[in-house]
Amino acid sequence: MLPKYDCINYDLYDCINYDLVEDLVQEGSFTWGGTAVRVWRGGVEGLDTVFLEPENGMFWVGCIYGKNNDAQRFAFFCGAALQYLKNQAAPGGRGAADIIHCHDWQSAPVAYGDRGGAKTVFTIHNLSYGADLIGRAMQACQVATTVSPTYAREIAGHPSVAAHLNKLYGVLNGIDQDIWDPSEDPCLPLHFSADNVAAGKEAARRALRQKLGLVAADVPIVGCVTRLVAQKGIHLIKHAAWRTLERGGQFVLLGSAPDGRVQGEFNALREQLSRAYPDRAALVFTYDEPLSHLIYAGSDMFLVPSMFEPCGLTQMIAMRYGTIPVVRKTGGLVDTVYDVDHDEDRARLKGMDTNGFSFEGTDFAGMDYALNRALSVWYSDKALWHSLRKRAMTQDWSWNSPALDYVELYYKALKS
């Protein structure tokens, strides 16, 4: 169940486009909070989905977040959602809910609202936002989860969580392997799997260099696709760009900053890099999903130096494309990246193979330690590098295992 945003999907002409929702129809309306709320229903990737559209315009604002009244807007949605569920439980409705699964602060009020007899599972995606609401949801829910085992341990002492550790479980997120599939990806010049990873990545590398104006050379490409915010370790991203170029490599960044000051810093960095290393670096400040696919496939290494990272998907996507992650040891990055030089035993305990390079700390020395080792292997041990690519591509980061964990937790909630 979602708000019916007016920006749910835009086409190439910036027109509202609901084509991604199958058989979208309005199936009625009800009144809540002094306004009419239209009820729409359709299918999203095969999942029956309800869209609530209040006529007070709270979700006709051209964006999902970023308004000064976000808390008011999502509180209204939560109240409307609870009213909708109450209506469905009444005679003539579709039936009462068994479990309501709420996510983060935006739907936390549902977890502690009037849910009838429904049980609640509550998932924390990022405790940095709306901690008070999250704390109330943690108290009210039957089962709580967060998006990686390590992040569950990292937040265990937070006041919103500490009193409810007996109901908190860390379940690693998965990636959609239908979207992120190099063997069928329409954004790539050559489809590839672990069996032809060398040819596939070489084709992607040529296309990426041509698109971004980088010189063709037998050097490694370090890629980064991220929001440019403090959480993502922006000081380390800047440093890694210079270090990569000093070591003879090429650097590609796709992302943008919501903070104008930070964006200005990266605009200046782009100018500095272009003067010092022409045709060797490309910083693209926009949203471009086809380009992101090409970066995942065409890069040799993928940078994720986050200060904290509840789960992180980009490192898993990169590995799916045979691109080796270079990450800071935090949150879900710990649970998915096993350092080539230091994590053999830890990987073995999880039934995994080593697959990347990691570092601790938040200073440049730590970043250099991981990135320099990755670059050195690329330059000096092509056999090991090829083996790393193949092994990363064959590891399973899908939803198959996490989905089974959630089914077990739903049953636990029902029995509580």
Side-chain angles (χ1 to χ4, degrees):
M1 190 184 305
L2 302 169
K4 190 171 183 288
Y5 303 104
D6 61 354
C7 60
I8 194 166
N9 185 49
Y10 283 94
D11 62 19
L12 294 175
Y13 303 99
D14 287 333
C15 297
I16 298 169
N17 177 2
Y18 287 93
D19 286 352
L20 293 178
V21 184
E22 302 169 5
D23 303 320
L24 181 65
V25 295
Q26 184 175 348
E27 65 169 25
S29 65
F30 62 93
T31 299
W32 190 84
T35 192
V37 180
R38 303 174 193 167
V39 178
W40 299 76
R41 185 179 293 270
V44 179
E45 296 187 1
L47 181 67
D48 189 28
T49 305
V50 173
F51 299 89
L52 300 183
E53 183 179 31
E55 292 189 0
N56 58 13
M58 282 192 170
F59 296 97
W60 301 339
V61 294
C63 63
I64 294 175
Y65 308 117
K67 298 297 181 179
N68 292 329
N69 65 340
D70 283 348
Q72 177 189 359
R73 293 166 60 234
F74 285 101
F76 184 94
F77 167 70
C78 289
L82 285 167
Q83 183 62 51
Y84 172 82
L85 292 169
K86 185 177 181 180
N87 294 346
Q88 295 305 303
R94 291 176 176 261
D98 297 305
I99 297 172
I100 303 173
H101 190 163
C102 305
H103 296 264
D104 257 354
W105 69 267
Q106 295 90 340
S107 60
V110 172
Y112 54 80
D114 181 5
R115 310 180 310 276
K119 307 293 186 179
T120 306
V121 175
F122 180 71
T123 295
I124 300 172
H125 291 264
N126 191 333
L127 192 51
S128 297
Y129 304 96
D132 291 341
L133 294 176
I134 288 174
R136 293 183 64 185
M138 287 291 296
Q139 181 177 6
C141 70
Q142 279 67 55
V143 169
T145 74
T146 192
V147 292
S148 72
T150 296
Y151 190 61
R153 293 191 292 271
E154 289 174 348
I155 65 175
H158 192 281
S160 299
V161 175
H164 313 291
L165 290 180
N166 63 316
K167 62 174 83 169
L168 178 65
Y169 299 85
V171 181
L172 190 69
N173 275 345
I175 60 173
D176 187 331
Q177 294 198 152
D178 292 331
I179 294 175
W180 303 107
D181 183 0
S183 69
E184 297 184 354
D185 193 328
C187 301
L188 304 187
L190 176 66
H191 294 156
F192 65 96
S193 66
D195 293 332
N196 66 326
V197 58
K201 290 190 71 66
E202 182 56 36
R205 189 181 295 110
R206 284 196 302 269
L208 180 62
R209 284 174 169 147
Q210 183 177 12
K211 183 175 181 64
L212 298 180
L214 301 179
V215 65
D218 185 23
V219 298
I221 299 177
V222 176
C224 184
V225 178
T226 187
R227 292 179 296 116
L228 297 174
V229 294
Q231 174 195 340
K232 301 299 181 179
I234 51 180
H235 67 296
L236 297 178
I237 293 172
K238 294 176 189 176
H239 178 77
W242 288 108
R243 174 64 67 209
T244 298
L245 296 167
E246 289 165 2
R247 292 282 314 264
Q250 295 176 324
F251 186 82
V252 174
L253 169 70
L254 174 63
S256 59
D259 184 322
R261 180 185 58 81
V262 174
Q263 186 61 62
E265 292 175 3
F266 274 87
N267 290 341
L269 177 65
R270 179 167 60 182
E271 295 301 317
Q272 293 163 5
L273 294 177
S274 66
R275 288 196 299 268
Y277 296 96
D279 306 325
R280 296 263 304 282
L283 280 63
V284 182
F285 305 127
T286 187
Y287 175 81
D288 188 331
E289 183 163 345
L291 178 57
S292 74
H293 285 240
L294 198 56
I295 292 172
Y296 284 119
S299 298
D300 297 286
M301 292 146 233
F302 194 85
L303 189 67
V304 194
S306 303
M307 297 296 95
F308 69 96
E309 194 64 67
C311 176
L313 299 179
T314 59
Q315 78 280 7
M316 293 188 272
I317 295 169
M319 287 189 280
R320 176 90 163 135
Y321 285 74
T323 299
I324 305 307
V326 178
V327 308
R328 184 172 172 272
K329 285 187 173 181
T330 185
L333 301 175
V334 174
D335 298 317
T336 52
V337 178
Y338 297 87
D339 191 280
V340 169
D341 296 313
H342 304 296
D343 285 336
E344 283 192 8
D345 291 340
R346 188 170 71 89
R348 191 179 302 114
L349 287 173
K350 293 290 186 179
M352 301 287 291
D353 291 314
T354 55
N355 55 13
F357 299 85
S358 59
F359 66 96
E360 299 185 37
T362 60
D363 57 1
F364 296 157
M367 178 80 263
D368 284 345
Y369 177 65
L371 183 57
N372 281 333
R373 285 186 293 128
L375 290 167
S376 294
V377 171
W378 191 97
Y379 281 120
S380 64
D381 195 339
K382 287 298 199 297
L384 173 57
W385 193 263
H386 184 63
S387 173
L388 269 176
R389 294 191 303 193
K390 290 175 70 72
R391 108 178 35 156
M393 288 192 72
T394 56
Q395 293 175 336
D396 182 7
W397 304 114
S398 72
W399 276 102
N400 293 338
S401 179
L404 294 176
D405 293 336
Y406 271 107
V407 170
E408 289 187 13
L409 291 174
Y410 290 150
Y411 279 112
K412 188 176 184 69
L414 286 174
K415 294 175 182 176
S416 66

